[in-house]
Amino acid sequence: MSFVIAFDLDPREGARISSLRVDGQELLVTDRRDGAMSWGCYPMVPFAGRLRRGAFRFAGRNYTMPVNLGRHAIHGTGFTRPWDVEPDGTLVLELGAPWPFGGSVRHRVHAVDADTVTATLEVHADQQSMPAQAGWHPWFLRPVSLMFKPGAMYRRDDDGIPDGTLLRPPPRAPWDDCFTEVEQPLELWWHPSPRLRLTSNCDYWVVFDHPNHAICVEPQTGPPDGFNLAPFVVEPGHPLVASFTLEVAPGSSPT
């Protein structure tokens, strides 16, 4: 049995994949009533996950970003903004205020074949180097199961943010946690089908499985609070490039 995957993009709503369907079956949360943070599959740029108190230090200077989740900034600045669309379908965002470094982001989503979709994010610096992270935040409708084999999990502190300590082996679910050393592909199963395989060149995955209606499985290039915990620097002419592939495989849910 073959499956066909289809998707919709919404450049007005943070360049997110607004719908992901397999033979007409919707796999993403599409209800927008809980706000921009809680539906679809949106890119997280120029940082991913929580940024502690919205604050970080770079090249000897202190910077702050607006907080949007309690005392912390979260998921970057792009998921609530409209993006421009180039003739080839690439979505582009100029990283203006409140981001202090300039730069731009390119988000390309395309069907590789009938059962595979690939997304690519590029974070470009302009005339100066800058810290950067990239990732995706998919809200999948609750599957029957998640096949997920991480080697380590970051311990969270009282703020719910990684403190730099890795736990091996990771504790069991429920999770709202960042993992690394993850065996790929990851797989999500729905009943009686389909099965969705996830792969990425990102070394970090956040899994949020608390809601009854959904699960978030998020590839990202660094852990939450990465600007303080594991900073990555983008130089002009050398963008940060992240990729995320979603592939449908035939099969029934596991017994």
Side-chain angles (χ1 to χ4, degrees):
M1 182 179 179
S2 62
F3 291 79
V4 176
I5 191 169
F7 67 92
D8 297 324
L9 278 175
D10 195 336
R12 301 165 298 173
E13 294 280 355
R16 77 186 63 217
I17 302 172
S18 58
S19 175
L20 183 71
R21 304 173 301 279
V22 175
D23 286 358
Q25 177 181 339
E26 182 62 61
L27 302 185
L28 294 178
V29 173
T30 59
D31 189 337
R32 308 182 182 197
R33 287 178 293 181
D34 289 335
M37 203 176 292
S38 301
W39 68 280
C41 174
Y42 51 85
M44 298 182 287
V45 286
F47 58 90
R50 289 173 175 83
L51 180 61
R52 189 185 302 275
R53 312 293 170 90
F56 64 99
R57 186 171 178 83
F58 179 72
R61 295 184 59 185
N62 295 321
Y63 296 91
T64 58
M65 300 298 296
V67 299
N68 57 347
L69 185 71
R71 297 177 295 176
H72 311 295
I74 192 170
H75 298 340
T77 63
F79 73 100
T80 58
R81 296 175 56 189
W83 294 43
D84 295 323
V85 185
E86 295 192 335
D88 67 353
T90 301
L91 305 179
V92 180
L93 178 68
E94 297 295 327
L95 288 171
W99 183 244
F101 301 98
S104 62
V105 184
R106 301 174 65 84
H107 188 208
R108 173 71 173 165
V109 184
H110 69 282
V112 176
D113 49 39
D115 59 11
T116 305
V117 169
T118 291
T120 304
L121 276 169
E122 298 179 3
V123 183
H124 293 260
D126 287 336
Q127 303 303 315
Q128 60 179 324
S129 61
M130 66 182 193
Q133 280 182 291
W136 289 266
H137 197 303
W139 281 86
F140 294 109
L141 290 169
R142 191 78 182 193
V144 172
S145 68
L146 165 67
M147 191 183 81
F148 178 56
K149 297 179 180 179
M153 186 186 89
Y154 279 91
R155 185 178 65 187
R156 288 185 294 132
D157 60 19
D158 291 341
D159 283 330
I161 296 176
D163 64 6
T165 301
L166 289 173
L167 303 177
R168 293 187 176 90
R172 294 183 178 181
W175 295 314
D176 182 10
D177 295 284
C178 180
F179 301 85
T180 191
E181 302 170 17
V182 175
E183 183 178 315
Q184 299 193 42
L186 294 70
E187 291 192 357
L188 292 164
W189 293 69
W190 285 264
H191 179 75
S193 61
R195 187 169 82 243
L196 192 65
R197 295 172 178 163
L198 311 180
T199 56
S200 175
N201 70 342
C202 297
D203 291 330
Y204 303 85
W205 294 79
V206 170
V207 177
F208 176 50
D209 64 356
H210 291 195
N212 292 326
H213 72 293
I215 187 171
C216 304
V217 185
E218 311 158 34
Q220 46 193 69
T221 61
D225 201 34
F227 287 176
N228 297 306
L229 193 61
F232 181 87
V233 178
V234 172
E235 303 287 352
H238 299 279
L240 171 64
V241 180
S243 65
F244 183 29
T245 297
L246 305 98
E247 178 186 6
V248 180
S252 59
S253 59
T255 57

